[in-house]
Amino acid sequence: MTDSTPSPLLSETHALLARLGVDVTTLAAGARTARSPITGEALAALTDATPAEVAAAVGAAHQAFAAWREVPAPRRGELVRLFGEELRAAKADLGRLVTIEAGKILSEGQGEVQEMIDVCDFAVGLSRQLCGLTIATERREHRMMETWHPLGVVGIISAFNFPVAVWAWNAALALVCGDPVVWKPSEKTPLTALATHAVLGRALARFGDAPAGLAQVVLGDAAVGAALVDDPRVALVSATGSTAMGRAVAPRLAARFARALLELGGNNAAIVCPSADLELAVRAIAFAAMGTAGQRCTTLRRLFVHDDVAAPLLARLRPAYASVRVGDPRAPDALVGPLVDGAARDAMAAALAEAAALGGTVHGGEPVAVGAGGHYVRPALVELPAQVGPMLRETFAPILYVVRYRTLDEAIALQNAATQGLSSSIFTRDLGEAERFLSASGSDCGIANVNLGPSGAEIGGAFGGEKETGGGRESGSDAWRAYMRRATNTINYGRALPLAQGVRFDLPETA
């Protein structure tokens, strides 16, 4: 950051930030360095929020809640509609910034911003559908119903691999539900958070009468996240990251009876049955396992292939792994960009070495030279005789382990043996196999797909998983309920006072 001649990447980054509305003069005075995984070079020097600053942000959000909860939900939806418009105008620049800061290829960077736009559209419609039930009551001249009310301040802790979309899943829903948001982005991707906050600021200015403190960003590491988690004024914390992070966050929230929405690790599997369309399966497997350089929570990491089709499937997969274009994610023909940092590279190398020691045959996994910096590797395909060792741990890198099976019961048991339960898929043209996989005795994951990979979920369905994935649900379906509190209401419109369950409580008559 002291070189008087900025690099082309640094110049591009600051130009993008300026167009998006970030004051770039504030990005050179802090102790925390933001780097691009493309080259490893520094992009900014930022200042972490202090505990007092986190407390002040939460205090402002808590004060905003008192006003925002009184705004009619469709009016709250208008703010999110305006934010979606601003995102459409900023899509090219913000998507490019995602590529630079997170290392995603261009189409994935643009796709992440499109996901934000999509969830805004969903939330706008939802703002007119925040409805409860009318419930049958056993008492005459009574009506029973449920109502839903804004919950309070929502803290959002996001991960580097989806630096802006996951925040939008939470923020768009929280805002229409009547909740202010305080965002602690990953310390690896702070610039996209600042840019997104600037875009939201333009929507707030157009909206006109939103309370101050409605949406805020606090930068920093785990200590900043802990301050957000521990503040008693934060009603819900939505945290996306590793299972280890979830184990740290959940008990702290439970200790003060706050809500936790956890989206944690995923050691996802796919099953390829004898009847599968192998050409379809290969295309789906390739994207699910190699896309985002294996750095999605829904990345395909374990593949169970029936003995009868293992040879022809692997004959197609091996050349795909050998030929896939690894390179600078800004290049139009790149399909696999860099790992986020050296620690991710080292974890991948250690997992591959362990797999080889356990009898695995490793195809790929070697470093790829791209320019002067960054950590680029060829995706690895590992054939193992059984599900052992590193297969049962999530390594956040492009490694696909392959094991053969004989019966569907065996394959489902192998898939469900992972401690995580996020996403899963099966490739089959047999209706019975598909239905068995989707049944109560099939996949134990929160997402179960047929004839497509486990990654690339749409925003319309609730996203999340079971077991060590944390149990949280975000985005579509009825995930909005996590951001609201439920009240059951009973109204007596008669003159009598019958009690439920036939209970009698008759007071003696008085003179």
Side-chain angles (χ1 to χ4, degrees), residues 183-504:
W183 182 13
K184 205 294 282 185
S186 168
E187 56 267 40
K188 297 177 182 179
T189 52
L191 300 180
T192 45
L194 293 176
T196 298
H197 189 64
V199 174
L200 177 59
R202 291 196 285 277
L204 286 164
R206 291 174 61 193
F207 184 78
D209 59 351
L214 185 61
Q216 296 174 80
V217 175
V218 288
L219 301 182
D221 57 11
V224 174
L228 191 60
V229 166
D230 291 341
D231 196 304
R233 297 166 295 182
V234 178
L236 165 69
V237 172
S238 174
T240 301
S242 68
T243 297
M245 181 271 284
R247 285 199 175 98
V249 167
R252 299 173 83 127
L253 292 170
R256 63 180 183 85
F257 301 102
R259 292 191 194 179
L261 197 166
L262 301 178
E263 293 289 356
L264 309 176
N267 194 357
N268 313 292
I271 298 169
V272 182
C273 297
S275 66
D277 179 332
L278 295 187
E279 294 299 331
L280 172 69
V282 166
R283 295 197 306 273
I285 290 165
F287 169 71
M290 293 189 280
T292 325
Q295 298 173 122
R296 285 177 179 244
C297 55
T298 54
T299 290
L300 175 60
R301 308 195 185 281
R302 299 177 296 140
L303 184 66
F304 303 111
V305 187
H306 194 276
D307 274 338
D308 291 351
V309 294
L313 181 73
L314 287 168
R316 291 168 169 84
L317 278 177
R318 292 187 198 109
Y321 268 72
S323 63
V324 68
R325 174 77 166 85
V326 180
D328 187 321
R330 295 170 296 173
D333 60 343
L335 291 180
V336 178
L339 294 175
V340 68
D341 55 26
R345 174 207 57 201
D346 294 345
M348 180 176 179
L352 292 177
E354 183 181 357
L358 291 168
T361 301
V362 179
H363 308 275
E366 66 274 8
V368 177
V370 178
H375 301 284
Y376 295 82
V377 294
R378 181 155 296 284
L381 183 68
V382 182
E383 299 175 55
L384 277 168
Q387 181 165 241
V388 293
M391 273 193 79
L392 289 171
R393 299 193 305 270
E394 181 187 32
T395 302
F396 221 56
I399 304 174
L400 179 62
Y401 302 103
V402 184
V403 169
R404 303 184 184 202
Y405 76 91
R406 285 301 307 166
T407 69
L408 183 59
D409 284 348
E410 177 192 1
I412 291 174
L414 287 167
Q415 176 198 281
N416 292 348
T419 56
Q420 303 91 346
L422 178 53
S423 192
S424 59
S425 67
I426 190 170
F427 294 90
T428 180
R429 294 298 179 188
D430 183 312
L431 181 61
E433 289 177 332
E435 291 291 347
R436 168 69 198 289
F437 180 75
L438 300 178
S439 74
S441 59
S443 170
D444 65 358
C445 296
I447 299 170
N449 296 331
V450 177
N451 292 327
L452 68 159
S455 60
E458 297 181 41
I459 59 95
F463 180 91
E466 303 302 323
K467 302 189 291 187
E468 289 188 1
T469 301
R473 293 297 186 274
E474 296 171 317
S475 191
S477 186
D478 64 350
W480 60 270
R481 296 184 178 202
Y483 307 90
M484 305 197 81
R485 61 177 180 85
R486 183 199 319 242
T488 300
N489 314 126
T490 303
I491 300 168
N492 177 2
Y493 56 89
R495 299 286 296 172
L497 191 67
L499 301 177
Q501 293 86 46
V503 172
R504 297 181 63 86

Side-chain angles (χ1 to χ4, degrees), residues 71-79 124 126-130 176 207:
V71 176
R75 173 65 179 157
R76 300 192 297 250
E78 174 65 8
L79 171 60
V124 172
L126 182 65
S127 69
R128 294 180 181 272
Q129 300 179 69
L130 300 173
V176 300
F207 184 78

Side-chain angles (χ1 to χ4, degrees), residues 24-37:
V24 296
T25 65
T26 65
L27 304 181
R32 181 171 298 282
T33 302
R35 298 185 180 277
S36 171

